[in-house]
Amino acid sequence: MRVVRISCVGTRHLSPPSSARGCDAHSDDVSASSAGLINADAEDASCSSTPSWRIKKSLTCVCFNRKRAYERICSNLTPLQEERLKRLRKRMKNYFDASRPDHQDALRALWSATYPSEKLQDLISDQWKNMGWQGKDPSTDFRGAGFISLENLLFFAKTFSTSFQRLLKKQGGKRAAWEYPFAVAGVNITFMIMQMLDLEASKPRSFIRLVFLQMLSENEWAFDLLYCVAFVVMDKQWLDKNATYMEFNDVLRSTRGQLEKELMMDDVFRIEDMPSFSLLS
């Protein structure tokens, strides 16, 4: 994929497009003068007839060359994108609170979705260790990623129960003697995705974030779907590398690399378009 980075400065800015396509760009060469600005004229790149400037660090629009057709993605968010990003940020800032009844109910729901035929004795129980928590109180493991990591696990369990159970039970492939703990791995995956998408930043600092925001406008559950894809990709990377527990961080890094690669592919406009989405069942 060829990428043309465009930022508009001055009193006139490129407004978000009514459709995904419509970019007229003629060059994928992104250069800069010593001052950091270059005029984006007709021989270089533009996203509309409005004169614009490219700046190295501040991005307003990103043009993607997808099979000879340019698609424009703008950091000037639509009202729908702003609303969904606001809700997602709120979820990301919601810390797990073991004293809250709704958070307790979510834990019980996760247990029921994971072990439908086994009764949970208590919210603090050695039974949780079977799911891959570090101790008998899973609430202590949510500190890194918050309540959204529990929501992600619950979404995975309910939406793709076959894949969830396969990974939970470590079915398929040649497994290491010291496997990754399933639930704790899930919390780490949530945290990794939050870092990759960089959604807390006031301004976009990566193309991946801009691409994801387009996907979020198509599906409010894009983050949760991406989480499910990330989990099965991580397990596949784990098996491909014949990894052990001590190599988990390396596997997580390669998982992030694979996700970023797929998100930038020509024909990926939704999470469901990612090649690794086919691993889910």
Side-chain angles (χ1 to χ4, degrees):
M1 174 187 298
R2 292 188 293 166
V3 178
V4 178
R5 296 177 292 179
I6 299 175
S7 178
C8 312
V9 298
T11 58
R12 291 184 295 178
H13 292 263
L14 296 179
S15 57
S18 57
S19 61
R21 293 187 175 87
C23 237
D24 180 21
H26 304 282
S27 173
D28 62 346
D29 177 33
V30 180
S31 58
S33 66
S34 58
L37 289 170
I38 290 184
N39 189 281
D41 56 24
E43 293 303 318
D44 191 356
S46 65
C47 277
S48 74
S49 59
T50 304
S52 63
W53 294 83
R54 291 184 302 158
I55 190 168
K56 290 191 290 183
K57 293 183 179 179
S58 175
L59 301 178
T60 297
C61 292
V62 181
C63 292
F64 295 92
N65 182 11
R66 296 178 185 267
K67 293 188 175 180
R68 298 182 180 179
Y70 280 85
E71 175 190 356
R72 178 177 63 184
I73 295 179
C74 291
S75 61
N76 292 332
L77 302 182
T78 66
L80 178 61
Q81 288 174 323
E82 287 182 349
E83 178 60 29
R84 289 186 173 178
L85 178 58
K86 181 180 178 180
R87 288 202 292 264
L88 181 53
R89 282 173 168 168
K90 185 177 180 179
R91 290 177 63 196
M92 291 166 56
K93 292 179 179 178
N94 189 12
Y95 296 103
F96 184 87
D97 185 349
S99 66
R100 287 181 54 169
D102 57 333
H103 287 198
Q104 295 173 8
D105 290 343
L107 265 180
R108 293 189 184 96
L110 176 62
W111 180 269
S112 297
T114 306
Y115 303 108
S117 60
E118 183 179 347
K119 182 180 179 180
L120 177 65
Q121 300 302 318
D122 200 345
L123 286 179
I124 298 178
S125 169
D126 284 329
Q127 290 174 283
W128 288 108
K129 296 179 182 178
N130 297 328
M131 197 185 296
W133 300 104
Q134 296 185 83
K136 60 183 181 180
D137 183 4
S139 66
T140 61
D141 290 327
F142 291 119
R143 294 169 185 166
F147 185 65
I148 191 173
S149 58
L150 173 54
E151 292 180 313
N152 289 159
L153 277 167
L154 187 55
F155 181 90
F156 190 16
K158 290 184 173 182
T159 309
F160 302 102
S161 59
T162 300
S163 293
F164 182 89
Q165 291 293 331
R166 177 176 59 81
L167 270 59
L168 170 70
K169 298 172 182 177
K170 301 296 191 298
Q171 296 173 340
K174 184 180 178 181
R175 294 289 175 175
W178 195 7
E179 278 283 311
Y180 63 85
F182 175 79
V184 173
V187 175
N188 278 271
I189 290 171
T190 297
F191 185 70
M192 179 269 289
I193 294 174
M194 289 193 296
Q195 286 186 314
M196 179 182 73
L197 298 179
D198 194 29
L199 297 177
E200 290 293 348
S202 58
K203 295 182 179 180
R205 296 181 292 192
S206 71
F207 298 132
I208 295 297
R209 167 172 157 159
L210 295 174
V211 169
F212 175 77
L213 289 178
Q214 288 291 113
M215 295 176 171
L216 189 62
S217 67
E218 296 292 331
N219 190 334
E220 188 171 6
W221 299 103
F223 187 94
D224 302 81
L225 287 170
L226 181 59
Y227 170 87
C228 297
V229 173
F231 216 135
V232 292
V233 169
M234 185 279 293
D235 188 73
K236 185 177 186 301
Q237 296 270 345
W238 179 273
L239 292 173
D240 290 346
K241 296 176 181 293
N242 296 313
T244 64
Y245 181 76
M246 297 303 293
E247 298 170 288
F248 179 76
N249 287 335
D250 292 334
V251 172
L252 206 57
R253 279 191 290 270
S254 63
T255 298
R256 173 171 173 169
Q258 181 62 29
L259 295 177
E260 291 175 337
K261 177 182 177 182
E262 293 190 17
L263 286 169
M264 294 295 288
M265 285 181 175
D266 282 358
D267 297 322
V268 173
F269 300 95
R270 307 171 303 153
I271 300 297
E272 294 91 330
D273 296 331
M274 297 174 67
S276 292
F277 187 84
S278 63
L279 297 173
L280 290 165
S281 58

